[in-house]
Amino acid sequence: MKIAVDGMGGDYAPHSIIEGCIEACKTHSDIEIIVTGPKELLEKELSSNGYSGDRIKVMDAKEIITNNEHPVMAIRRKKDSSLYKALELVKNKDADAIISAGSTGAFLAGATLVVGRIKGVNRPALAPIMPGKNGPFMVIDCGANADCKPINLLQFALMGETYFENILNIDNPTVGVINIGSEEEKGNELTKEAHKLIKDSTLNFVGNVEPREIPEGKVNVLVCDGFVGNTVLKMYEGVAATIFSTLKEQIMSSFRTKIGGIILKPVFDKFKKDFDYKEYGGAAFLGVDGICIKAHGSSDAKAIKNAIRQAVNFKQNDILNKIRGSIEEKMV
Amino acid sequence: MKIAVDGMGGDYAPHSIIEGCIEACKTHSDIEIIVTGPKELLEKELSSNGYSGDRIKVMDAKEIITNNEHPVMAIRRKKDSSLYKALELVKNKDADAIISAGSTGAFLAGATLVVGRIKGVNRPALAPIMPGKNGPFMVIDCGANADCKPINLLQFALMGETYFENILNIDNPTVGVINIGSEEEKGNELTKEAHKLIKDSTLNFVGNVEPREIPEGKVNVLVCDGFVGNTVLKMYEGVAATIFSTLKEQIMSSFRTKIGGIILKPVFDKFKKDFDYKEYGGAAFLGVDGICIKAHGSSDAKAIKNAIRQAVNFKQNDILNKIRGSIEEKMV
C-alpha cells in the first residue's frame, strides 16, 4: 500500500511528520510512504532522524498552503504545494491514501476538487472519532459543509455505519441525529426532515440525541450539519481545556493542593489518555473517492503514526468500495 | 414590585419554589410575590415553611404543564395552569415579572403568545449568562428560535448589549458571532450575513468567535441561532458533567486517590462554585414585553431566589424600556 503524506502540513511540520512516518514504517511492513514538500528539507529531516531505508520517498513540492489562505483559491493557485502534490498522487492512483495535518479547509476543498467524490455521495463529510465515557463515537459532519440538506445527513449516517462496522467492528451501530430536543418534532427544519428520512431507512436509528448526552458516548454515529458538528467538536475541546487549565492553576496555588495534585496525577493522566484524540488517529473525510485522513493541526509523531495506521485499516477493510456499495444500494 | 412565580414548574416544585420565594422576601423588602398553583397545596407549603407574612400570595391554578407536552398546544389548552395564570398576571400588568422553572418550550411559547413582543423585536430570545474563565458571558439565542434570519442576530446583539450595560454594568460590551472560523467569509449563510449586519452597526463587534474560545469568557455577548446556542449550552453542561463524574469515579477507586480527593476538595468546590449557573439566576427571555426569567429545571431555593433578584434588577434598571429604546433607535 502506498500512502501520500503532506510533509509541510501542521504545527510541527516537517519534523513530527517525518518522525511519524518513520515510526509507522516500523509497525507496518507493507507500506510505502511518499512525503511531499521541499526535497532538500525533507531529506535532511529523514537523515537527521537516522532514516536510511527506501520505503519513505520524497516528492518535491516547493509551495506551502497555510491556514490563513482561502482554501479553494489556495488549491487552484498552488499546484506546486505539498498538499496539492499529495492529492494528485491519490487522484492518479499513485497512492491509495493521503494524510495531512495542514489547513482543514484546503484539505477538504482539495480532496473534493482534485480526488473527487464517490458516485452518489452529494457531500463528503469530515468524520472524527471522539472519546466518550462509554466508548468512542463519530460526529459527522464536523465542518466540511456549513449548510446541509436532509439527504446529506442520511448519507452521512450510511457512511458512518460503514465505518463503525468495518473499522471499529461494531455490528449494526446505533445512529442518532444531534438535536436540541429528544422528541421527533423538535429542532430546526433540517433535523426534522433528516429525522424522518433516517427513521425510514434500514439504519439502526435511536432518534434525536441532545448535546448534553453526546460526551457519554452511548450512540455510535451522530449526524448533523458541519456547523453544528464543528461546534460540538470545538466545545468538547474548549470546555475540557478550560476545566483542566483552571484546575491546574488552583492546584498549583498552594503547597497543600500541590500535594493533592501529585497524589491524583495518575488519575489526571489516565483521564488525559482516555480522552486523547491522538489515540484515534485523524478525522476521516468520508465520501471522497480516495482514503483521506485529516490529522489534527497540532499532531505530534504519534498522531501521524496513528493516522497512517487508520489509512492502512481503511485499505485493508476496503472501506471505499463498501461505502460505494452502501450508497448505491440504499440511496436509489 | 410585583412578581408572578409559577409555583408548579421545575423538578423540585412546589417545595423549592416556595422556599426560594420566602428567601427572596427576606432580601428584598420592596417586593410582593404571587405564586400560582393549587391553592391548598401551596398554602400548606408556605405554612410548613413557617411563613405567615402577607407579601407572598397564592393564586389558584389547578392544571400543570409538563415537559412532555407540546408547548403551543399546552398554552392554548391549559388556561388554568400555573404557568398560564402567571403569564396572564404579567399581560394584565398585575405583575411586573414572571419566573418559571417549568417547561422551557411552554414558557417561551406562552411568553410570546400571552405577554407579547416588544415592538420592533421580530424574535424574542433566550439569553442565559454563563460562567467563563475570564468572566460571565451571554449566549443569545439559546433555544427559542431553531431557525433564524440575520436580522434576528443583530437584534439579539442589541438586546445583549443593553443587558450587559445595565444589569452587569459593563460599558460598551463586546459582541461576537459564534462561528466555525474566525475569518469573515467563514461559516454558514446565516453567520456570514449576520457578520456583515453587526459589523455595520454601532455595536462593539469583535468578529467571529470559535466555539473553542467560548468557555474562556473573553467576549461578553455571543449571538447565534437557537439551535447552535442550545448546542453550546448543553455541550458546556454535558462535557463538564462527564469530566467530573469520570474524575470522581477514578478518585473513589483507591485509598490513595481518595486521600488526594480529600486534599483537593476545596479546589473542586471552588471550581463548582465559580462555574455554578445557579449564581447567575435564570435565563432572561429578552424581547418580550414583560420581564420573563426562565429558571433552570433543576432549580433549588437558591436558584429561585437568584432568579427573583434578577427580575428585581431588571425592573430597577428599567430594562424593558431600554431595549425598546435601543431597538427603536438602531433598527430603523
Side-chain angles (χ1 to χ4, degrees):
Chain A
M1 175 183 184
K2 282 187 181 174
I3 300 168
V5 176
D6 172 3
M8 300 308 289
D11 303 343
Y12 306 113
H15 180 74
S16 295
I17 313 292
I18 294 292
E19 220 183 301
C21 291
I22 295 172
E23 287 303 313
C25 281
K26 289 179 192 162
T27 317
H28 306 283
S29 57
D30 52 348
I31 60 168
E32 278 180 44
I33 294 173
I34 307 156
V35 197
T36 57
K39 199 171 172 70
E40 213 171 315
L41 177 69
L42 295 184
E43 283 177 346
K44 209 175 118 191
E45 196 65 54
L46 276 167
S47 71
S48 72
N49 272 284
Y51 185 79
S52 59
D54 61 354
R55 286 168 53 208
I56 302 178
K57 291 185 176 65
V58 172
M59 168 170 275
D60 194 39
K62 291 188 178 59
E63 292 173 300
I64 294 168
I65 294 177
T66 67
N67 280 324
N68 304 322
E69 293 175 73
H70 188 284
V72 177
M73 294 292 189
I75 287 294
R76 287 206 178 125
R77 284 177 192 165
K78 292 189 166 173
K79 302 267 152 92
D80 194 22
S81 62
S82 58
L83 174 61
Y84 194 91
K85 290 272 184 184
L87 287 165
E88 251 187 350
L89 286 167
V90 178
K91 181 198 172 189
N92 300 332
K93 311 285 176 201
D94 292 325
D96 303 287
I98 170 174
I99 287 152
S100 174
S103 157
T104 307
F107 183 69
L108 301 182
T112 311
L113 292 170
V114 180
V115 182
R117 292 175 286 122
I118 286 176
K119 201 186 150 191
V121 176
N122 300 89
R123 299 288 197 106
L126 196 61
I129 297 291
M130 291 161 73
K133 199 179 174 191
N134 294 282
F137 60 93
M138 170 185 282
V139 176
I140 178 170
D141 173 28
C142 254
N145 312 283
D147 292 289
C148 284
K149 297 200 170 71
I151 188 81
N152 303 140
L153 268 61
L154 171 60
Q155 294 178 359
F156 299 166
L158 289 168
M159 296 193 290
E161 178 193 46
T162 304
Y163 187 107
F164 262 80
E165 283 184 339
N166 295 280
I167 300 290
L168 299 176
N169 298 314
I170 290 176
D171 278 341
N172 208 19
T174 48
V175 172
V177 172
I178 295 180
N179 204 347
I180 59 173
S182 54
E183 302 86 358
E184 189 167 346
E185 70 278 5
K186 286 276 172 75
N188 56 20
E189 297 306 321
L190 173 67
T191 58
K192 283 183 224 172
E193 284 303 313
H195 187 110
K196 282 183 210 156
L197 274 180
I198 299 174
K199 196 178 166 189
D200 289 343
S201 75
T202 58
L203 289 154
N204 184 8
F205 186 48
V206 298
N208 295 333
V209 174
E210 290 197 74
R212 198 193 312 255
E213 305 158 34
I214 293 175
E216 292 173 14
K218 284 184 182 162
V219 181
N220 301 133
V221 180
L222 296 171
V223 299
C224 55
D225 67 56
F227 195 101
V228 168
N230 201 269
T231 300
V232 165
L233 179 71
K234 303 266 178 73
M235 279 299 291
Y236 207 159
E237 293 180 2
V239 174
T242 299
I243 288 178
F244 282 106
S245 78
T246 308
L247 284 180
K248 197 174 175 184
E249 279 169 26
Q250 291 288 321
I251 288 170
M252 297 308 281
S253 68
S254 81
F255 180 72
R256 185 190 153 90
T257 51
K258 273 183 197 165
I259 299 293
I262 290 166
I263 297 175
L264 287 189
K265 191 168 181 301
V267 168
F268 291 125
D269 286 349
K270 181 175 169 8
F271 187 90
K272 274 191 188 153
K273 192 179 177 307
D274 289 348
F275 283 77
D276 185 5
Y277 66 88
K278 290 187 192 114
E279 293 290 329
Y280 295 95
F285 189 40
L286 299 179
V288 178
D289 202 8
I291 299 168
C292 297
I293 310 286
K294 172 66 186 73
H296 201 285
S298 64
S299 288
D300 57 12
K302 182 180 149 197
I304 296 297
K305 182 189 153 191
N306 285 339
I308 292 172
R309 184 192 63 199
Q310 203 178 355
V312 172
N313 237 327
F314 262 58
K315 175 77 178 169
Q316 282 173 348
N317 290 292
D318 202 17
I319 290 296
L320 296 187
N321 275 324
K322 281 175 185 153
I323 288 177
R324 208 171 272 124
S326 171
I327 293 286
E328 256 178 38
E329 186 190 329
K330 291 164 187 170
M331 291 303 301
V332 183
Chain B
M1 176 185 185
K2 283 189 181 172
I3 300 169
V5 177
D6 172 3
M8 300 307 289
D11 303 344
Y12 306 113
H15 181 74
S16 296
I17 312 293
I18 294 292
E19 219 183 303
C21 290
I22 295 172
E23 286 303 312
C25 281
K26 288 180 193 160
T27 317
H28 306 283
S29 56
D30 51 350
I31 60 169
E32 277 180 45
I33 294 175
I34 307 155
V35 197
T36 56
K39 199 172 171 72
E40 213 171 316
L41 178 68
L42 295 185
E43 283 177 348
K44 209 174 120 191
E45 196 65 55
L46 276 167
S47 70
S48 73
N49 272 285
Y51 185 79
S52 57
D54 59 355
R55 286 167 53 208
I56 303 179
K57 291 186 176 64
V58 173
M59 168 170 274
D60 193 39
K62 292 187 177 62
E63 292 174 298
I64 295 169
I65 294 178
T66 68
N67 280 324
N68 304 322
E69 293 175 74
H70 189 285
V72 177
M73 294 293 188
I75 287 295
R76 287 206 179 125
R77 284 179 193 164
K78 292 189 167 173
K79 303 266 153 93
D80 194 23
S81 60
S82 58
L83 174 61
Y84 194 91
K85 289 274 184 183
L87 287 165
E88 252 186 348
L89 285 168
V90 178
K91 182 197 171 190
N92 299 332
K93 311 284 177 201
D94 292 325
D96 303 288
I98 171 173
I99 288 153
S100 175
S103 156
T104 307
F107 183 69
L108 301 182
T112 312
L113 292 170
V114 181
V115 182
R117 293 176 285 121
I118 286 176
K119 201 185 151 191
V121 176
N122 300 91
R123 300 286 198 110
L126 196 61
I129 297 291
M130 292 162 72
K133 200 178 174 192
N134 294 282
F137 60 92
M138 170 185 282
V139 176
I140 177 169
D141 173 28
C142 254
N145 313 283
D147 292 290
C148 284
K149 297 201 169 70
I151 188 81
N152 304 140
L153 269 61
L154 171 59
Q155 293 178 358
F156 298 166
L158 289 169
M159 295 193 290
E161 179 193 46
T162 305
Y163 186 105
F164 263 79
E165 283 185 339
N166 295 281
I167 299 290
L168 299 175
N169 297 315
I170 291 176
D171 278 340
N172 208 18
T174 48
V175 172
V177 172
I178 295 181
N179 203 348
I180 60 173
S182 53
E183 302 84 359
E184 188 168 346
E185 69 279 6
K186 285 277 173 73
N188 56 19
E189 296 307 320
L190 173 67
T191 58
K192 283 183 223 171
E193 285 303 312
H195 187 110
K196 282 182 211 156
L197 273 181
I198 299 174
K199 197 178 167 188
D200 289 342
S201 74
T202 57
L203 289 154
N204 184 8
F205 187 49
V206 299
N208 295 333
V209 174
E210 289 197 74
R212 197 193 313 256
E213 305 158 32
I214 293 176
E216 292 173 13
K218 285 184 182 161
V219 181
N220 301 132
V221 180
L222 297 170
V223 299
C224 55
D225 67 57
F227 195 101
V228 167
N230 202 269
T231 300
V232 165
L233 179 72
K234 302 268 179 72
M235 280 298 291
Y236 207 159
E237 292 179 1
V239 174
T242 299
I243 288 177
F244 282 107
S245 77
T246 308
L247 284 180
K248 196 174 176 184
E249 279 169 26
Q250 291 288 321
I251 287 171
M252 297 309 282
S253 68
S254 82
F255 180 72
R256 186 191 151 91
T257 50
K258 273 183 198 165
I259 299 293
I262 290 166
I263 296 174
L264 287 189
K265 193 169 180 297
V267 168
F268 291 125
D269 287 348
K270 180 177 169 7
F271 187 90
K272 275 191 187 151
K273 193 180 176 307
D274 289 349
F275 283 76
D276 185 5
Y277 66 87
K278 290 187 192 115
E279 292 290 329
Y280 295 96
F285 190 40
L286 300 178
V288 177
D289 201 7
I291 299 168
C292 297
I293 310 286
K294 172 67 186 74
H296 202 285
S298 65
S299 288
D300 57 12
K302 183 180 149 196
I304 296 297
K305 182 189 153 191
N306 285 339
I308 292 173
R309 183 191 64 200
Q310 204 178 353
V312 171
N313 237 326
F314 262 58
K315 175 77 177 170
Q316 283 173 346
N317 290 291
D318 200 18
I319 290 297
L320 296 187
N321 274 324
K322 280 174 184 154
I323 288 179
R324 206 172 274 126
S326 172
I327 294 286
E328 256 180 36
E329 184 191 329
K330 291 162 185 170
M331 290 304 300
V332 183

